[in-house]
Amino acid sequence: MTRRFSPNQQGAFLMLGSMAAFTCNDTLVKLVGQSVPLWQIVTIRGVLASVLLLGLAKAMGSLRFDFPARDWALVLARCATEAAATYFFLSALLELPLANVTAVLQMLPLTVTLCAALFLGERVGWRRCIAIALGFVGMLLIVRPGGADFGPATVYALLAVAVLTLRDLVTRQMSPAVPSLTVTFLAAFSVMLFGVGLGIGETWQPVGARDWALLFGTALLILLAYLCAVMTIRTGEVSAVAPLRYTGLIWALVLGWLVFGDWPSGITLVGAAIVVAAGLFTLLRERQVAEAPDGSEIPLEKT
């Protein structure tokens, strides 16, 4: 059946599957968070995800630890940022509507592009600068600083974007010799250790059959999401399938409404639309620049 589709089409289906799995995972975590403390969720999900990812990495021959000291330093830095991002993201997720948190996280491609230009010396033309600026305007419409709904949970969502941006910048500095699944397994293991640290001195809460089922579901969905993400990179061109990552917002809107009865306000939807449009334009420009013979900015109409 795969012969009927081009590599980019196969990559597109895999990206859609990855975003659906990630968002369904967030939905289950939010459900579990109604009765299980955050540290306990992080610990249990971390154990389950680590075991599954370890098995997947070994099965795919991608479990290696013989990389240079510089890469080890970057991997450890990435693990630290992954743990911090998990804490901030889940803290926001348990308090805010699913779609609102997901909409804020759509800023990530824009913040990574901006910081890559500022700190890594990557070239960003004026068109992408305008898109990034518009994206920040959209984000302000989503979070509305000073508004009645702006509180600690919103700050956690913004901090999650900041830490995830740092994580992605660190990841960009790793050499190709570092297997992606090894990095993913170490990150999941680090998040588990972070959950254990959060729970020191806390009393372990009873977990019912329903919550155990949901937690196992989150681990399986994380495995599926990462598997699809890895296969996406190996199957299609990243620049061709990356725009489909925004379908996660559609899943968040639908699941947030069906499961929790939440629907964002009109202003939030407008802000999310601006962020997505800015992100899509930025991805388009990055692809154009990558395809330019000298790597320079090229006119939009030439594509």
Side-chain angles (χ1 to χ4, degrees), residues 67-86:
F67 28 88
R70 177 182 180 276
D71 281 326
W72 261 115
L74 291 171
V75 168
L76 292 176
R78 190 189 187 283
C79 288
T81 55
E82 188 77 48
T86 299

Side-chain angles (χ1 to χ4, degrees), residues 84-162:
T86 299
Y87 173 77
F88 290 133
F89 173 72
L90 294 184
S91 296
L93 180 65
L94 297 182
E95 298 294 333
L96 295 175
L98 177 63
N100 291 45
V101 180
T102 305
V104 173
L105 258 65
Q106 303 312 307
M107 280 293 299
L108 189 58
L110 300 175
T111 56
V112 170
T113 299
L114 175 62
C115 290
L118 293 175
F119 303 114
L120 301 182
E122 295 188 12
R123 187 169 180 176
V124 177
W126 63 269
R127 294 177 180 86
R128 277 185 285 172
C129 287
I130 292 176
I132 291 170
L134 289 174
F136 276 95
V137 171
M139 183 189 67
L140 291 175
L141 291 177
I142 297 170
V143 302
R144 295 191 291 282
D149 295 330
F150 188 87
T154 306
V155 175
Y156 283 139
L158 296 174
L159 287 173
V161 172

Side-chain angles (χ1 to χ4, degrees), residues 10-32:
Q10 295 176 41
F13 289 132
L14 289 167
M15 177 62 83
L16 291 172
S18 179
M19 290 301 101
F22 273 124
T23 311
C24 289
N25 164 76
D26 295 340
T27 304
L28 296 188
V29 170
K30 191 172 175 65
L31 284 171
V32 174

Side-chain angles (χ1 to χ4, degrees), residues 41-42 64 107 117 133 179 191 204 210 230 267 273 283 293 299:
I41 294 174
V42 173
R64 288 184 20 245
M107 280 293 299
V191 170
W204 191 272
R210 168 187 173 273
V230 171
I267 295 178
L283 290 171

